[in-house]
Amino acid sequence: MSKIQNSLIRKSTIAAAALAITGICAGMLPAQSINNNMKAQLKRYVKQGTEVRFEGYLTGYSYWDNTPPGSAAIARPVLRQQAGGTGTYNDPITIAVGHAIRGGHQTLDFPPGTRFYIERLRKYAIVEDVCGDGYQPQNGPCYTGKNGRPWLDIYIGGKNSSVRETEQCMYRLTGMQPIRMNPRRGYPVTRGEISESGCQVFGPVG
């Protein structure tokens, strides 16, 4: 489980250039409050299986600042029982999304198994975890979003790296990103755990 609140202050200091939102097949998705139209549209596209490109706020969490710390535990296993993945279509990396708990019922912003393609990381990802702790995670930043954009938190690994190295990696990738939901196969991929493969960041995919 992603422990994003504990690192929100340090992550929010990372400046990122705003990137234009461009829809694929589904049309334009203008930046709006994450609690109404944009979130509703994205949920509809999940159900339809339509590929769509939108701007989202990406952060990272590691083996060391996971919940519990020093583990790869995840809340909603789909392809595996622990966070992992190399970023290919068939082996996407675990990603955590915001969630709400109301009346004892948990609802994720995106259903477990939803796939994304993170263009600047050249990685496919899959929802297998939640971002935000406590009894009311809907009051936290992962659920409310960042500047009207959805907040996604990707697992970078780091078991074989130092805490400092994983923190530097998370700093590097944090920011607004062009993201594709329900992506097709065949996008460029740099295979490997994010931390182990050098935490590389690229330009958007055309």
Side-chain angles (χ1 to χ4, degrees), residues 61-73 155-160 166:
Y61 70 107
S62 75
Y63 178 86
W64 301 112
D65 73 345
N66 193 17
T67 304
S71 81
Y155 184 69
I156 70 162
K159 181 178 181 179
N160 298 319
T166 59

Side-chain angles (χ1 to χ4, degrees), residues 44-179:
R44 185 170 70 249
Y45 297 138
V46 169
K47 293 180 180 180
Q48 295 173 348
T50 303
E51 178 173 327
V52 61
R53 186 174 189 247
F54 66 97
E55 184 181 63
Y57 187 68
L58 184 73
T59 54
Y61 70 107
S62 75
Y63 178 86
W64 301 112
D65 73 345
N66 193 17
T67 304
S71 81
I74 53 178
R76 291 299 189 92
V78 177
L79 298 181
R80 54 186 73 89
Q81 295 303 307
Q82 293 190 317
T86 59
T88 66
Y89 186 89
N90 291 328
D91 188 27
I93 292 175
T94 300
I95 201 165
V97 298
H99 65 126
I101 299 177
R102 297 187 176 93
H105 179 72
Q106 182 189 50
T107 304
L108 277 63
D109 285 346
F110 301 94
T114 302
R115 290 177 187 257
F116 297 97
Y117 176 71
I118 313 300
E119 295 186 16
R120 298 192 66 212
L121 300 185
R122 300 291 194 265
K123 305 283 190 187
Y124 287 92
I126 188 169
V127 176
E128 294 187 306
D129 205 358
V130 294
C131 175
D133 299 328
Y135 295 105
Q136 294 183 311
Q138 59 268 31
N139 294 332
C142 288
Y143 184 80
T144 57
K146 176 76 169 180
N147 297 335
R149 275 75 167 183
W151 188 315
L152 303 176
D153 200 31
I154 195 165
Y155 184 69
I156 70 162
K159 181 178 181 179
N160 298 319
S161 303
S162 69
V163 173
R164 180 180 176 82
E165 288 172 332
T166 59
E167 288 179 345
Q168 289 174 338
C169 180
M170 290 186 288
Y171 289 155
R172 181 172 174 77
L173 63 82
T174 295
M176 294 296 176
Q177 308 268 353
I179 297 169

